[in-house]
Amino acid sequence: MLPASLNSPATFTNGAYTIQGLNLADLCEKFGTPFYLYDLDYCVGRYRFLHDLFDLPNVRLHYAVKANNNPHLLLALKESGACLDVVSPSEVALALALGFDPSRLLYTANNMTDAEIRLIRDQGLLLNIDSLTGLRRYAKLYPNTELCLRFNSDVVAGEHEKVMTGGDKTKFGIRLEKVDEVLDIVHASGLKIVGVHEHTGSGITDPNQFIQGMKNLLTIVTPARFPDLRFIDFGGGFKVPYRPDEKRIDYVAFGQKVSAMLRAFFADFGRELALYFEPGKFIVAEGGLLMVQVNSLIENKTRLIAGTDSGFGHLVRPVLYNAYHHILNVSNPKGAAKTYDICGNICETGDLFAEDRGMPEIREGDYLALLNAGAYGYSMASDYNLRPKPAEVVVQNGKAFLSRKPHTPQEIVSNVLLQSGLK
């Protein structure tokens, strides 16, 4: 039951699953499960593919750090010229520690305190403000400075309702019809709006919805309103296929259509502006796998349950978004087909990676690979049940190495006691 397409850097060669020629089962033996495995060269390739889609002179991709904050991944993207979309003080601190210049960072948080605004602004970052309330507060704190504004494109799109960031049910962005109120605040405080931004949602299934969000934003962008404008940022939302039979979106055609649309817009605007996007999932999702080991098989009337040494504390997307992750039996890829519920080690019934999933026969001790786990996997992980986050292993130039080790139980407890003032 081998899938026709893996949508992954993993390949099936000579009877075994490998990444860059490295046997996945051997990596499990070497590093010990559970661990996240990232192919950095694959992720850099996704970045370059997306960057080169647009036939425009000034294109910047701000990788969304929230998708995956692995330091070695960020360094690989930095060397490739990537900028960053950062959304918290800690993401800023990590980016600066890795050598990113503040000019390559755009700060897009929401519901910021005055203290957070000051902290980020004083580090030299450009802020992207997404509400009239935030704009008024920023204007009082930092009049006569440069700013980016996030608008609500009024397009509802995304692969799950919880990641749709446009329309009237979302907290994100200033409504387009409020642009005159925005300009009153801007003029009164001497602010210079150097960027305008919108982000419609994550994993947009129809590229026409993506483009409609762009068109809606452009309706308010004129030289008279925004004389200091340098760039337009259309956020992220580039979709990757999660199921083996899922077709890829033709982003080459998308890039051609967007490039033609913006060339026409720039001609009307009177000058060229920089084009920004903020991809996260598109760059890292397929490049990551979660490697786990089966430690129990449970027959429960009509259900056959395979229990693993991981759980939703490590990969919460199936529980949170009902997300599908294809799963490979790395140890027994040609086993007879059976149907399993594949679960974790968390004390909740909902701790499931897959339900009623057809798989090659699973045996105790088999290694499984959960695909498309590079985005919002480790970055959303927790130490729920006081189980540590898994390790992270990266593959680059044909070599695998430990990128981030897991905490030991003793380290977790020590931190708890330290934070509680009991140590």
Side-chain angles (χ1 to χ4, degrees), residues 204-237:
I204 299 173
T205 57
D206 181 356
N208 291 320
Q209 290 180 301
F210 203 139
I211 292 174
Q212 188 60 54
M214 300 171 72
K215 289 180 176 178
N216 288 358
L217 177 63
L218 294 177
T219 62
I220 67 166
V221 180
T222 66
R225 283 176 172 149
F226 301 105
D228 303 301
L229 199 64
R230 294 201 298 262
F231 67 88
I232 304 178
D233 187 336
F234 294 110

Side-chain angles (χ1 to χ4, degrees), residues 30 156 285:
K30 178 178 180 179
V156 181

Side-chain angles (χ1 to χ4, degrees), residues 40 69-77 98 394 396 401-404:
L40 300 190
N69 57 39
N70 179 270
H72 289 98
L73 169 67
L74 295 179
L75 285 173
L77 292 173
L98 293 174
V394 300
Q396 192 172 30
F401 60 91
L402 182 65
S403 174
R404 184 153 43 180

Side-chain angles (χ1 to χ4, degrees), residues 332-380:
N332 191 28
K334 293 187 176 182
K338 293 189 176 183
T339 300
Y340 297 89
D341 292 348
I342 300 175
C343 68
N345 55 7
I346 298 298
C347 293
E348 294 194 25
T349 302
D351 183 28
L352 289 166
F353 291 131
E355 192 171 2
D356 281 330
R357 182 71 60 88
M359 292 279 298
E361 181 182 9
I362 297 175
R363 307 158 304 186
E364 288 189 22
D366 279 355
Y367 294 118
L368 307 181
L370 282 71
L371 302 187
N372 281 42
Y376 304 102
Y378 189 98
S379 67
M380 295 179 74

